[in-house]
Amino acid sequence: MASRPTAASDGAPDEAKSSSTKTNVKAPQPSKRQRASTKYKHTFAVHSENRTSCLSSDSTEEPPSFSGFRNLMGLVLVVSNLRLMMENFKKYGVLVTLSGSQIRKGDWTWFGILYLLTPCFLFVAFAIEALAAQYAKSKVADKKRNEEREDKQQVEQSKRHAFLTWRVIAFCHGFNATLMLAIATWVVYFQIHNPGLAAFAQLHAVIVWLKVCSYAFTNRDMRHAYVNVDPAEAALPELYKSCPYPNNITLKNLSYFWWAPTLVYQPVYPSTDRIRWDFVARRAVEFFFLSIVIFVACAQYAVPLLQNSLNDFSNLRLVNLLERILKLSTISLVCWLAGFFALFQSFLNLLAELMYFGDREFYSDWWNCCDLRSYWTSWNKPVTHFMKRHIYAPMVGRGVPPALASLITFLFSGLLHELLVGVPTHNILGVAFFGMVFQIPLIYMTDPLSRMKSRTGRLVGNLTFWLTFCFFGQPVAAIAYFFAWQAKYGTDNRPEWPLQGMGRR
């Protein structure tokens, strides 16, 4: 007789079945209408925390991107200049001619003579340094012999004689550099009438003059380190060990420095391993195109504006003159930006590629500068390196306070600017020099703005730079020198400035 299952065994299968049923059967889902009725569309919290506007100075989030505003400003700049171009063509017609300037034959002759003569002074510096190197070799040999003999009196006498010789060599280097710049300035001021051609000749002369000075200063210190037995004074950069003094005194080494895109002499530079000819081609096309843009902008737009401002300038009609300055600032800014890109990005990179020159930091992001000091140390790195290495640092090393050394360096830069502008235009007005001097108080005024943590201070500093330098500084200087040119030479019987076919209409 079969036994009946117990209660436990009897209920287990039913419980397992019930459990299986619970896990496999889904709960009924609410319909779409039921889901819609459970949402409170008009009651969820929009304002749930403290937040700031993204353009406010007290915003704690990352600053927003201004790429849209940048695109808008670029579009406005293009459209406004197209309108000016249409207005200019309707009023003046085509002023650009392919015949070039009214340049006298004598201008071309003197320009060619000066262009060929100027680099000769660099090779004169090489000859002076070659003689100094031979003397340095003899002094090192004498020093070794005297030390072996322990002749202290002879060693001291040799040091005095070497000191006098170094003074003579320094005088020769200084005379050579000064004579070169004096001859170039005289030829440009008195013999080359056309200001455009004169400006190019003067710029070439100043560049070579800076190279001559750097070559002399650097080799002097390397020569002293070669002769000097004090390791602390004889320490030189590790890079120079591959070409120590006097092995660097060769025509090949000098010729490389002559064409290298730098104003600071080194016996060795960082270099690349090959020439990228596609890179060279792109930079050449950029330079050629931008040169045409600058030529057309000056011929078609800048010159008529300058000529139309002469009457307002002579009669001191300030309101009209301000309107001319603001109108000229647009063309001036276009020419300046195109010139910057053509020189520092296109030409210098092209030259660096051909010369295997590795260090190509010719500029940094000067357009973001919030103070004038940063701008003047970042937009033209070749000149900045020269000023820091050969003017500022030596003065600070000799005990001159850094603030005074900076002031002297800036005044020297102002003299160079006047030399590059006043001499080619045959009017030493001092506008370029005092324009640089005026930057000094602006530098101290904008220095605190760059140290401010808020974006407002940095924005004010950046706008101060753009307004003082681009929208007022350059146009005012252009009008002043153009007015001085016209007052001195006129336009009746002499070549117009600076291009043919741009007279009044």
Side-chain angles (χ1 to χ4, degrees):
M1 186 173 178
S3 62
R4 295 178 60 185
T6 63
S9 61
D10 188 24
D14 294 336
E15 184 177 355
K17 183 177 181 181
S18 175
S19 175
S20 174
T21 303
K22 289 181 180 180
T23 57
N24 293 332
V25 177
K26 295 183 179 179
Q29 299 294 326
S31 65
K32 184 181 295 185
R33 178 173 296 181
Q34 289 174 333
R35 289 198 306 269
S37 64
T38 59
K39 289 185 178 179
Y40 297 93
K41 292 185 177 180
H42 303 284
T43 57
F44 66 87
V46 175
H47 307 288
S48 58
E49 58 180 335
N50 296 335
R51 290 176 292 190
T52 59
S53 301
C54 62
L55 294 179
S56 298
S57 59
D58 55 349
S59 177
T60 58
E61 298 180 357
E62 290 293 326
S65 172
F66 293 97
S67 59
F69 281 121
R70 185 181 65 239
N71 297 337
L72 174 63
M73 288 186 288
L75 185 62
V76 170
L77 183 64
V78 171
V79 171
S80 60
N81 278 280
L82 284 175
R83 186 196 66 81
L84 290 176
M85 291 171 61
M86 295 175 64
E87 179 183 345
N88 182 277
F89 280 121
K90 288 172 60 178
K91 187 175 182 180
Y92 298 105
V94 179
L95 299 180
V96 180
T97 61
L98 299 179
S99 58
S101 311
Q102 289 184 347
I103 301 177
R104 302 179 302 187
K105 292 183 178 179
D107 287 358
W108 283 114
T109 302
W110 281 105
F111 174 81
I113 293 173
L114 184 61
Y115 191 83
L116 295 175
L117 179 64
T118 298
C120 295
F121 290 89
L122 190 58
F123 289 91
V124 172
F126 164 76
I128 296 172
E129 195 57 41
L131 294 175
Q134 293 299 324
Y135 181 78
K137 290 179 182 179
S138 65
K139 297 309 295 180
V140 170
D142 292 343
K143 182 185 297 185
K144 290 181 179 179
R145 287 194 298 266
N146 293 330
E147 288 177 352
E148 291 175 356
R149 299 173 184 173
E150 297 183 355
D151 191 347
K152 295 183 179 180
Q153 183 178 0
Q154 189 67 25
V155 170
E156 293 298 326
Q157 184 178 357
S158 178
K159 287 183 179 179
R160 289 194 298 268
H161 188 269
F163 177 77
L164 294 176
T165 305
W166 303 150
R167 297 288 293 270
V168 173
I169 292 172
F171 173 80
C172 293
H173 274 304
F175 180 79
N176 175 60
T178 304
L179 180 64
M180 188 213 77
L181 190 60
I183 292 175
T185 302
W186 181 86
V187 170
V188 169
Y189 192 86
F190 292 104
Q191 302 300 329
I192 303 179
H193 180 75
N194 182 270
L197 200 63
F200 187 83
Q202 186 71 10
L203 177 63
H204 177 247
V206 169
I207 290 174
V208 176
W209 179 72
L210 294 175
K211 284 179 177 279
V212 169
C213 293
S214 182
Y215 187 78
F217 284 137
T218 305
N219 277 302
R220 180 199 64 183
D221 288 350
M222 293 179 64
R223 186 187 337 118
H224 291 178
Y226 171 70
V227 175
N228 204 323
V229 296
D230 188 355
E233 296 183 10
L236 290 174
E238 189 72 20
L239 181 66
Y240 295 2
K241 290 186 177 180
S242 60
C243 187
Y245 189 92
N247 296 342
N248 64 306
I249 309 301
T250 62
L251 285 175
K252 180 180 179 180
N253 186 275
L254 176 72
S255 298
Y256 183 88
F257 173 58
W258 177 21
W259 287 99
T262 179
L263 301 175
V264 173
Y265 174 74
Q266 293 181 190
V268 182
Y269 296 96
S271 61
T272 58
D273 56 353
R274 64 187 181 90
I275 297 177
R276 298 169 294 174
W277 292 108
D278 57 333
F279 181 88
V280 173
R282 290 196 299 270
R283 301 292 83 79
V285 170
E286 289 173 358
F287 182 76
F288 178 75
F289 174 75
L290 290 172
S291 298
I292 294 177
V293 169
I294 296 171
F295 175 79
V296 173
C298 290
Q300 186 69 38
Y301 307 107
V303 172
L305 282 173
L306 289 169
Q307 290 176 338
N308 293 335
S309 64
L310 292 176
N311 190 35
D312 296 329
F313 191 87
S314 60
N315 295 304
L316 293 179
R317 299 188 183 119
L318 298 181
V319 176
N320 294 346
L321 192 59
L322 178 61
E323 185 268 339
R324 291 292 172 183
I325 290 174
L326 293 176
K327 197 172 183 180
L328 183 63
S329 65
T330 303
I331 302 302
S332 173
L333 183 59
V334 169
C335 293
W336 182 65
L337 291 177
F340 163 79
F341 196 93
L343 176 60
F344 291 98
Q345 176 61 26
S346 301
F347 180 75
L348 290 184
N349 270 286
L350 184 152
L351 191 59
E353 188 71 19
L354 293 176
M355 299 298 295
Y356 298 91
F357 193 82
D359 186 5
R360 303 182 184 184
E361 192 186 18
F362 304 120
Y363 59 91
S364 57
D365 58 337
W366 54 265
W367 48 88
N368 291 326
C369 289
C370 303
D371 60 287
L372 272 297
R373 187 187 303 274
S374 298
Y375 165 74
W376 287 112
T377 57
S378 60
W379 92 278
N380 187 347
K381 286 296 185 71
V383 173
T384 298
H385 293 326
F386 180 92
M387 296 293 181
K388 182 178 180 180
R389 189 195 205 203
H390 298 303
I391 298 179
Y392 176 80
M395 286 191 294
V396 173
R398 287 169 172 79
V400 178
L404 180 59
S406 298
L407 177 62
I408 295 174
T409 303
F410 215 83
L411 293 177
F412 177 76
S413 178
L415 290 175
L416 286 183
H417 278 77
E418 186 65 34
L419 203 65
L420 291 170
V421 179
V423 173
T425 57
H426 312 288
N427 288 283
I428 309 296
L429 303 179
V431 174
F433 173 76
F434 287 106
M436 293 292 293
V437 173
F438 181 68
Q439 300 292 311
I440 297 175
L442 289 176
I443 287 175
Y444 289 103
M445 288 173 57
T446 56
D447 276 347
L449 297 176
S450 64
R451 295 190 291 267
M452 295 177 64
K453 295 182 179 179
S454 65
R455 293 196 299 270
T456 303
R458 301 178 66 84
L459 175 63
V460 171
N462 187 256
L463 292 178
T464 302
F465 151 66
W466 285 113
L467 285 173
T468 57
F469 186 75
C470 296
F471 289 94
F472 288 99
Q474 292 184 9
V476 169
I479 290 177
Y481 283 102
F482 187 83
F483 181 81
W485 170 273
Q486 297 293 344
K488 187 173 183 178
Y489 295 105
T491 59
D492 296 332
N493 300 317
R494 293 180 174 87
E496 299 172 357
W497 180 22
L499 302 168
Q500 183 183 11
M502 301 176 194
R504 296 174 183 169
R505 297 207 171 186

